[in-house]
PDB file of all heavy atoms in Angstrom:
ATOM      1  N   PHE A 331     -17.767  14.419  -6.688  1.00  0.00           N
ATOM      2  CA  PHE A 331     -17.054  14.206  -7.943  1.00  0.00           C
ATOM      3  C   PHE A 331     -17.266  15.341  -8.921  1.00  0.00           C
ATOM      4  O   PHE A 331     -16.309  15.748  -9.619  1.00  0.00           O
ATOM      5  CB  PHE A 331     -17.491  12.868  -8.606  1.00  0.00           C
ATOM      6  CG  PHE A 331     -17.090  11.581  -7.887  1.00  0.00           C
ATOM      7  CD1 PHE A 331     -17.548  10.384  -8.291  1.00  0.00           C
ATOM      8  CD2 PHE A 331     -16.216  11.634  -6.763  1.00  0.00           C
ATOM      9  CE1 PHE A 331     -17.160   9.210  -7.667  1.00  0.00           C
ATOM     10  CE2 PHE A 331     -15.879  10.456  -6.124  1.00  0.00           C
ATOM     11  CZ  PHE A 331     -16.317   9.273  -6.578  1.00  0.00           C
ATOM     12  N   MET A 332     -18.486  15.886  -8.967  1.00  0.00           N
ATOM     13  CA  MET A 332     -18.758  17.035  -9.853  1.00  0.00           C
ATOM     14  C   MET A 332     -17.970  18.255  -9.411  1.00  0.00           C
ATOM     15  O   MET A 332     -17.480  18.978 -10.244  1.00  0.00           O
ATOM     16  CB  MET A 332     -20.276  17.361  -9.792  1.00  0.00           C
ATOM     17  CG  MET A 332     -21.113  16.407 -10.573  1.00  0.00           C
ATOM     18  SD  MET A 332     -20.825  16.514 -12.308  1.00  0.00           S
ATOM     19  CE  MET A 332     -21.768  17.965 -12.710  1.00  0.00           C
ATOM     20  N   LYS A 333     -17.812  18.525  -8.108  1.00  0.00           N
ATOM     21  CA  LYS A 333     -17.038  19.605  -7.598  1.00  0.00           C
ATOM     22  C   LYS A 333     -15.571  19.465  -8.034  1.00  0.00           C
ATOM     23  O   LYS A 333     -14.940  20.447  -8.466  1.00  0.00           O
ATOM     24  CB  LYS A 333     -17.115  19.695  -6.100  1.00  0.00           C
ATOM     25  CG  LYS A 333     -18.525  20.151  -5.568  1.00  0.00           C
ATOM     26  CD  LYS A 333     -18.542  20.151  -4.018  1.00  0.00           C
ATOM     27  CE  LYS A 333     -19.903  20.236  -3.464  1.00  0.00           C
ATOM     28  NZ  LYS A 333     -19.935  20.072  -2.061  1.00  0.00           N
ATOM     29  N   ILE A 334     -15.014  18.257  -7.857  1.00  0.00           N
ATOM     30  CA  ILE A 334     -13.631  18.025  -8.240  1.00  0.00           C
ATOM     31  C   ILE A 334     -13.503  18.204  -9.739  1.00  0.00           C
ATOM     32  O   ILE A 334     -12.551  18.922 -10.219  1.00  0.00           O
ATOM     33  CB  ILE A 334     -13.189  16.615  -7.835  1.00  0.00           C
ATOM     34  CG1 ILE A 334     -13.146  16.511  -6.317  1.00  0.00           C
ATOM     35  CG2 ILE A 334     -11.850  16.282  -8.433  1.00  0.00           C
ATOM     36  CD1 ILE A 334     -13.039  15.056  -5.789  1.00  0.00           C
ATOM     37  N   PHE A 335     -14.405  17.662 -10.489  1.00  0.00           N
ATOM     38  CA  PHE A 335     -14.356  17.793 -11.943  1.00  0.00           C
ATOM     39  C   PHE A 335     -14.382  19.300 -12.363  1.00  0.00           C
ATOM     40  O   PHE A 335     -13.590  19.735 -13.145  1.00  0.00           O
ATOM     41  CB  PHE A 335     -15.567  17.094 -12.596  1.00  0.00           C
ATOM     42  CG  PHE A 335     -15.620  17.190 -14.077  1.00  0.00           C
ATOM     43  CD1 PHE A 335     -14.935  16.249 -14.868  1.00  0.00           C
ATOM     44  CD2 PHE A 335     -16.318  18.213 -14.695  1.00  0.00           C
ATOM     45  CE1 PHE A 335     -15.000  16.352 -16.248  1.00  0.00           C
ATOM     46  CE2 PHE A 335     -16.334  18.264 -16.054  1.00  0.00           C
ATOM     47  CZ  PHE A 335     -15.667  17.349 -16.850  1.00  0.00           C
ATOM     48  N   ALA A 336     -15.325  20.068 -11.751  1.00  0.00           N
ATOM     49  CA  ALA A 336     -15.449  21.473 -12.098  1.00  0.00           C
ATOM     50  C   ALA A 336     -14.191  22.264 -11.759  1.00  0.00           C
ATOM     51  O   ALA A 336     -13.794  23.190 -12.479  1.00  0.00           O
ATOM     52  CB  ALA A 336     -16.648  22.032 -11.349  1.00  0.00           C
ATOM     53  N   SER A 337     -13.538  21.898 -10.696  1.00  0.00           N
ATOM     54  CA  SER A 337     -12.335  22.591 -10.283  1.00  0.00           C
ATOM     55  C   SER A 337     -11.105  22.234 -11.093  1.00  0.00           C
ATOM     56  O   SER A 337     -10.147  23.018 -11.193  1.00  0.00           O
ATOM     57  CB  SER A 337     -12.023  22.362  -8.794  1.00  0.00           C
ATOM     58  OG  SER A 337     -11.558  21.064  -8.561  1.00  0.00           O
ATOM     59  N   LYS A 338     -11.080  21.066 -11.733  1.00  0.00           N
ATOM     60  CA  LYS A 338      -9.931  20.612 -12.431  1.00  0.00           C
ATOM     61  C   LYS A 338     -10.046  20.550 -13.977  1.00  0.00           C
ATOM     62  O   LYS A 338      -9.064  20.471 -14.696  1.00  0.00           O
ATOM     63  CB  LYS A 338      -9.527  19.173 -11.972  1.00  0.00           C
ATOM     64  CG  LYS A 338      -9.132  19.104 -10.485  1.00  0.00           C
ATOM     65  CD  LYS A 338      -7.905  19.933 -10.254  1.00  0.00           C
ATOM     66  CE  LYS A 338      -7.457  19.834  -8.806  1.00  0.00           C
ATOM     67  NZ  LYS A 338      -6.279  20.642  -8.557  1.00  0.00           N
ATOM     68  N   TYR A 339     -11.328  20.642 -14.461  1.00  0.00           N
ATOM     69  CA  TYR A 339     -11.523  20.516 -15.938  1.00  0.00           C
ATOM     70  C   TYR A 339     -10.864  21.710 -16.636  1.00  0.00           C
ATOM     71  O   TYR A 339     -10.936  22.828 -16.274  1.00  0.00           O
ATOM     72  CB  TYR A 339     -13.030  20.475 -16.263  1.00  0.00           C
ATOM     73  CG  TYR A 339     -13.318  20.553 -17.728  1.00  0.00           C
ATOM     74  CD1 TYR A 339     -13.021  19.405 -18.544  1.00  0.00           C
ATOM     75  CD2 TYR A 339     -13.776  21.675 -18.345  1.00  0.00           C
ATOM     76  CE1 TYR A 339     -13.254  19.479 -19.890  1.00  0.00           C
ATOM     77  CE2 TYR A 339     -14.006  21.713 -19.698  1.00  0.00           C
ATOM     78  CZ  TYR A 339     -13.765  20.611 -20.444  1.00  0.00           C
ATOM     79  OH  TYR A 339     -13.977  20.656 -21.819  1.00  0.00           O
ATOM     80  N   ASN A 340     -10.159  21.357 -17.751  1.00  0.00           N
ATOM     81  CA  ASN A 340      -9.518  22.324 -18.614  1.00  0.00           C
ATOM     82  C   ASN A 340     -10.026  22.080 -20.016  1.00  0.00           C
ATOM     83  O   ASN A 340      -9.752  21.047 -20.604  1.00  0.00           O
ATOM     84  CB  ASN A 340      -8.009  22.167 -18.562  1.00  0.00           C
ATOM     85  CG  ASN A 340      -7.272  23.197 -19.415  1.00  0.00           C
ATOM     86  OD1 ASN A 340      -7.819  23.675 -20.411  1.00  0.00           O
ATOM     87  ND2 ASN A 340      -6.072  23.476 -19.052  1.00  0.00           N
ATOM     88  N   HIS A 341     -10.701  23.095 -20.600  1.00  0.00           N
ATOM     89  CA  HIS A 341     -11.316  22.904 -21.922  1.00  0.00           C
ATOM     90  C   HIS A 341     -10.307  22.663 -23.009  1.00  0.00           C
ATOM     91  O   HIS A 341     -10.593  22.147 -24.018  1.00  0.00           O
ATOM     92  CB  HIS A 341     -12.133  24.181 -22.264  1.00  0.00           C
ATOM     93  CG  HIS A 341     -12.936  24.113 -23.492  1.00  0.00           C
ATOM     94  ND1 HIS A 341     -14.035  23.302 -23.630  1.00  0.00           N
ATOM     95  CD2 HIS A 341     -12.731  24.645 -24.716  1.00  0.00           C
ATOM     96  CE1 HIS A 341     -14.506  23.369 -24.835  1.00  0.00           C
ATOM     97  NE2 HIS A 341     -13.722  24.207 -25.550  1.00  0.00           N
ATOM     98  N   PHE A 342      -9.053  23.131 -22.800  1.00  0.00           N
ATOM     99  CA  PHE A 342      -8.045  23.094 -23.887  1.00  0.00           C
ATOM    100  C   PHE A 342      -7.046  21.949 -23.835  1.00  0.00           C
ATOM    101  O   PHE A 342      -6.180  21.843 -24.628  1.00  0.00           O
ATOM    102  CB  PHE A 342      -7.269  24.415 -23.884  1.00  0.00           C
ATOM    103  CG  PHE A 342      -8.174  25.613 -24.042  1.00  0.00           C
ATOM    104  CD1 PHE A 342      -8.491  26.403 -23.006  1.00  0.00           C
ATOM    105  CD2 PHE A 342      -8.738  25.874 -25.291  1.00  0.00           C
ATOM    106  CE1 PHE A 342      -9.328  27.514 -23.157  1.00  0.00           C
ATOM    107  CE2 PHE A 342      -9.575  26.952 -25.466  1.00  0.00           C
ATOM    108  CZ  PHE A 342      -9.896  27.782 -24.393  1.00  0.00           C
ATOM    109  N   SER A 343      -7.256  21.025 -22.917  1.00  0.00           N
ATOM    110  CA  SER A 343      -6.370  19.862 -22.827  1.00  0.00           C
ATOM    111  C   SER A 343      -7.127  18.628 -22.558  1.00  0.00           C
ATOM    112  O   SER A 343      -8.279  18.662 -22.240  1.00  0.00           O
ATOM    113  CB  SER A 343      -5.249  20.097 -21.745  1.00  0.00           C
ATOM    114  OG  SER A 343      -5.839  20.141 -20.514  1.00  0.00           O
ATOM    115  N   ILE A 344      -6.396  17.481 -22.634  1.00  0.00           N
ATOM    116  CA  ILE A 344      -7.006  16.200 -22.339  1.00  0.00           C
ATOM    117  C   ILE A 344      -7.174  16.135 -20.823  1.00  0.00           C
ATOM    118  O   ILE A 344      -6.267  16.488 -20.059  1.00  0.00           O
ATOM    119  CB  ILE A 344      -6.106  15.056 -22.805  1.00  0.00           C
ATOM    120  CG1 ILE A 344      -5.916  15.104 -24.312  1.00  0.00           C
ATOM    121  CG2 ILE A 344      -6.639  13.744 -22.300  1.00  0.00           C
ATOM    122  CD1 ILE A 344      -6.610  14.146 -25.158  1.00  0.00           C
ATOM    123  N   ASN A 345      -8.364  15.750 -20.411  1.00  0.00           N
ATOM    124  CA  ASN A 345      -8.654  15.648 -18.984  1.00  0.00           C
ATOM    125  C   ASN A 345      -8.938  14.174 -18.620  1.00  0.00           C
ATOM    126  O   ASN A 345      -9.826  13.561 -19.167  1.00  0.00           O
ATOM    127  CB  ASN A 345      -9.946  16.423 -18.635  1.00  0.00           C
ATOM    128  CG  ASN A 345      -9.749  17.891 -18.883  1.00  0.00           C
ATOM    129  OD1 ASN A 345      -9.491  18.634 -17.967  1.00  0.00           O
ATOM    130  ND2 ASN A 345      -9.970  18.353 -20.114  1.00  0.00           N
ATOM    131  N   THR A 346      -8.094  13.664 -17.758  1.00  0.00           N
ATOM    132  CA  THR A 346      -8.247  12.296 -17.283  1.00  0.00           C
ATOM    133  C   THR A 346      -8.630  12.290 -15.813  1.00  0.00           C
ATOM    134  O   THR A 346      -7.819  12.793 -15.001  1.00  0.00           O
ATOM    135  CB  THR A 346      -7.003  11.445 -17.549  1.00  0.00           C
ATOM    136  OG1 THR A 346      -6.643  11.553 -18.921  1.00  0.00           O
ATOM    137  CG2 THR A 346      -7.203  10.006 -17.174  1.00  0.00           C
ATOM    138  N   PHE A 347      -9.718  11.722 -15.469  1.00  0.00           N
ATOM    139  CA  PHE A 347     -10.172  11.604 -14.117  1.00  0.00           C
ATOM    140  C   PHE A 347     -10.291  10.123 -13.797  1.00  0.00           C
ATOM    141  O   PHE A 347     -10.896   9.370 -14.534  1.00  0.00           O
ATOM    142  CB  PHE A 347     -11.507  12.247 -13.910  1.00  0.00           C
ATOM    143  CG  PHE A 347     -11.498  13.756 -14.070  1.00  0.00           C
ATOM    144  CD1 PHE A 347     -11.670  14.267 -15.343  1.00  0.00           C
ATOM    145  CD2 PHE A 347     -11.263  14.603 -12.988  1.00  0.00           C
ATOM    146  CE1 PHE A 347     -11.600  15.657 -15.528  1.00  0.00           C
ATOM    147  CE2 PHE A 347     -11.214  15.971 -13.175  1.00  0.00           C
ATOM    148  CZ  PHE A 347     -11.411  16.522 -14.430  1.00  0.00           C
TER     149      PHE A 347
END
Side-chain angles (χ1 to χ4, degrees):
F331 291 173
M332 285 293 282
K333 289 177 193 173
I334 294 167
F335 180 88
S337 72
K338 297 295 181 183
Y339 174 72
N340 180 335
H341 186 74
F342 301 105
S343 66
I344 300 254
N345 295 265
T346 304
F347 295 87

